[in-house]
């Protein structure tokens, strides 16, 4: 019974934070621990994108957090990848990953938007 109550409360919290588009603890944990499956990509991800995209409050859309990525994905993946490559406001060109190829940037973008790997 107590466990059920806890789950109901968690569900309530999640619904609330999704509405406010603020990541919950589980979202922050995903961003902190998830890595692309490919070892080479994971290394690039850790040393570049994660610095800004794996923490809340940096101004960057949080990795894996759908409410941050959904409106961006609506612009089309190609547009997002172009912004990752050329820079976009506070998003630095190439995401500070100078040895990332265009394919790497696309894969990393899709990974963070969780619409592929
Ligand atoms: C120095 C911090 C920083 C680093 C490092 C960084 N980003 Fe970003 N990124 C941002 C910020 C801030 C935004 C939000 C820009 C805005 O919407 O004004 C952003 C936005 C984006 C977007 C969405 C662009 C759009 O059109 O909405 C993509 C895609 C992206 N980053 C990919 C990456 C990738 C891939 C890497 C690693 C190779 C990376 N970023 C590294 C700060 C960073």
């Amino acid at each position: 019974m107590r466990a059920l109550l806890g789950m109901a409360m968690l569900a309530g919290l999640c619904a609330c934070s999704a509405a406010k588009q603020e990541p919950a603890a589980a979202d922050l944990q995903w961003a902190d621990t998830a890595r692309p499956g490919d070892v080479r990509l994971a290394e690039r991800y850790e040393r570049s994108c994660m610095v800004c995209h794996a923490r809340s409050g940096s101004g960057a859309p949080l990795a894996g957090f759908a409410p941050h990525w959904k409106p961006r994905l609506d612009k089309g993946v190609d547009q997002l990848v172009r912004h990752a490559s050329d820079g976009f406001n506070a998003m630095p060109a190439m995401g500070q990953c100078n040895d990332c190829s265009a394919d790497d940037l696309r894969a990393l973008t899709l990974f963070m938007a969780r619409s592929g790997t």
Side-chain angles (χ1 to χ4, degrees), residues 15-82:
C16 166
S17 61
K20 283 196 296 185
Q21 307 221 325
E22 275 170 24
D27 301 311
L28 292 169
Q29 195 188 352
W30 193 94
D32 196 38
T33 54
R35 301 287 185 279
D38 180 281
V39 176
R40 198 186 55 90
L41 265 186
E43 187 274 324
R44 284 164 161 71
Y45 178 65
E46 283 183 346
R47 101 170 106 83
S48 48
C49 322
M50 269 194 88
V51 176
C52 302
H53 285 273
R55 70 166 76 139
S56 177
S58 71
L62 185 72
F65 185 55
H68 283 179
W69 287 98
K70 173 77 176 66
R72 294 174 188 267
L73 280 169
D74 289 346
K75 295 188 279 188
V77 170
D78 288 346
Q79 172 85 310
L80 296 194
V81 175
R82 202 171 310 124

